[in-house]
Amino acid sequence: LAANLSENSIAGLRRFLNEYPLDREPGSRFEYSTVGFGALGICLAEKCESGSFEDCLRKKVLAPLEMSSSVFELPAALQARFAGETLPKPRAEGPNPFNASGGLISSAHDLLQLVSANLDAKSRPQLAKAITLSQQTDPNIKAFAGSIAGLGWFALESSKVYFHSGIGSEFRAFIAFDL
């Protein structure tokens, strides 16, 4: 769906969502949605003091988790540390609705900070409730072969192994942990 958007802006996403004809009842089946994450990012930004998804994520999640190497644009000083095949393309000027669905670039250290917080949510009291909620899954929501979907993670059906990947045309990552 994201490829069908005429412009990479919040206004463009809103227009697209208003005009898109639904082909099924919402909630009738699971489908990963970049557009859905974009819409969620817009809603979260509207709830934040700054009105910016990026600023809100930095203040409410990245800073408390001490994820200081996670950025939305890779500055020149960090480009030498980038391990991918090609550097991420610069994002559009202004708020990008798709930053909520793959705009974040993180280091291995920062991903380990995220996993560590998920393994021991009580160690991060200000985020403990959100971390616990992100691990909720529904056995009726089948995601991929042998996995179910949750609020923030996918999980293997028969265990407490949680995972998420950022495998797409512009990003590549995979993290998992076993509670």
Side-chain angles (χ1 to χ4, degrees), residues 8-21:
N8 202 19
S9 69
I10 291 174
L13 177 58
R14 286 182 190 276
R15 271 192 300 281
F16 175 81
L17 290 170
N18 284 329
E19 297 169 2
Y20 186 78

Side-chain angles (χ1 to χ4, degrees), residues 24 27 33 42 46 48 70 82 84 94 103 125 136 139 142 144-145:
R24 64 180 176 276
S33 174
I42 290 171
E46 290 173 350
C48 288
S70 293
F82 184 72
Q136 287 183 355
K142 307 295 183 195
F144 309 105

